[in-house]
Amino acid sequence: MASIETSTSSLLSGAAPFAISETLEPDVEAGQGTKIKSNPTPTAQTETARTNNNIQSQNLNQNQNQNQNQNQNQSIWEQSSHPVALAFHLLFRSGAVLVYLFGNAFFDNFPLVFIICVLLLAFDFWTVKNVSGRLLVGLRWWNDIQPDGTNVWMFESRDPSRPVNPTDSRIFWISLYLTVVIWLFLAFFVLFKPSWLLIVAVAITLNLANVIGYTQCDKDAKRKWATGFAARAAASNPKDYFTSLSLVIAIF
């Protein structure tokens, strides 16, 4: 019995170092299977990216709709960047038309109506030429008298990197051209009334001067922008020179 126990203990003592020192090799197949399961398939990645793009586009559309709703709920004075200039831009020209149409009914005095209309037209001409045009659309024009007595049109324009407020620009250009159309329409009713026709003639002359001045100034600003763009394109990439040159020719 003692010999059996001795042999058994010797076998256990011989097997023990193997159990302690040897380690089991990892199950490679099981590890690889786990790794494959942890990484998403290309189809899953595509669906995830598509879902993220859809979410981003939905959020962008929601933000755009919210901005549009806010703009619709706001008045033109809240949307304008220069509400005071816009108010005076509309006040003087609309006031001149209203006084011309209804002034005689309230005052029953033509000389007074004539003076008020001419003053409002003069205020409107100066305001549009020097204030509202510069603030609302970033343009300004004037005539420079040369030493030889000739007049030269001078134009100023904003930097193209500074965009104008679309509400200010839209109201400015619409009112600029619409006022001339209104005075031309009123001229047909006073062709045989020299006194009233004189007021209309003053109104058409002053408003038409601003129309011509700002139209030429706007063309000059676009021409300068196109020329500068073509020069920068030619300096950065000569291959785009002909494309830029065609743009300049189209504007001219």
Side-chain angles (χ1 to χ4, degrees):
M1 180 66 67
S3 62
I4 295 173
E5 291 178 356
T6 304
S7 62
T8 303
S9 60
S10 63
L11 290 175
L12 291 176
S13 62
F18 173 79
I20 296 174
S21 62
E22 297 294 333
T23 57
L24 296 177
E25 295 183 358
D27 191 353
V28 178
E29 294 181 356
Q32 290 179 352
T34 305
K35 186 176 182 181
I36 293 174
K37 292 180 182 179
S38 63
N39 291 332
T41 62
T43 305
Q45 291 179 352
T46 304
E47 292 179 354
T48 303
R50 188 179 301 169
T51 303
N52 294 332
N53 292 333
N54 292 333
I55 294 173
Q56 291 177 358
S57 62
Q58 290 177 0
N59 294 332
L60 181 61
N61 292 331
Q62 289 178 357
N63 294 331
Q64 291 178 352
N65 293 330
Q66 290 177 357
N67 293 332
Q68 291 178 356
N69 293 331
Q70 290 178 357
N71 292 332
Q72 291 177 356
N73 295 330
Q74 291 178 345
S75 63
I76 59 173
W77 313 113
E78 294 174 342
Q79 298 179 23
S80 174
S81 299
H82 304 281
V84 177
L86 183 63
F88 280 99
H89 174 78
L90 298 174
L91 176 64
F92 290 134
R93 54 187 46 228
S94 60
V97 174
L98 293 175
V99 171
Y100 174 83
L101 293 175
F102 306 107
N104 197 32
F106 289 97
F107 303 113
D108 195 17
N109 187 349
F110 175 77
L112 182 59
V113 174
F114 180 86
I115 293 173
I116 294 176
C117 283
V118 172
L119 287 176
L120 289 174
L121 291 170
F123 292 156
D124 174 69
F125 174 79
W126 186 89
T127 302
V128 174
K129 179 177 176 292
N130 298 296
V131 180
S132 62
R134 179 173 55 84
L135 295 178
L136 301 181
V137 293
L139 301 174
R140 186 169 176 262
W141 68 271
W142 71 94
N143 279 328
D144 189 15
I145 301 177
Q146 301 297 316
D148 57 356
T150 59
N151 292 331
V152 178
W153 289 82
M154 305 296 293
F155 303 114
E156 285 183 354
S157 59
R158 71 186 185 283
D159 188 349
S161 61
R162 297 170 51 195
V164 297
N165 186 297
T167 301
D168 293 338
S169 178
R170 182 173 61 253
I171 294 176
F172 176 84
W173 290 110
I174 291 175
S175 62
L176 191 69
Y177 291 105
L178 183 61
T179 305
V180 176
V181 174
I182 292 174
W183 284 112
L184 289 173
F185 177 76
L186 294 175
F188 289 101
F189 297 96
V190 292
L191 290 176
F192 303 102
K193 296 180 180 179
S195 57
W196 291 96
L197 186 60
L198 182 60
I199 298 177
V200 177
V202 173
I204 293 175
T205 302
L206 295 179
N207 283 277
L208 196 60
N210 270 327
V211 168
I212 296 174
Y214 277 109
T215 301
Q216 296 297 325
C217 187
D218 184 56
K219 291 181 180 179
D220 181 76
K222 292 179 180 178
R223 188 182 300 113
K224 291 178 180 178
W225 175 82
T227 304
F229 174 77
R232 289 192 299 269
S236 60
N237 189 0
K239 295 181 180 180
D240 295 337
Y241 175 73
F242 293 102
T243 303
S244 305
L245 183 61
S246 62
L247 177 62
V248 175
I249 294 174
I251 293 177
F252 275 89

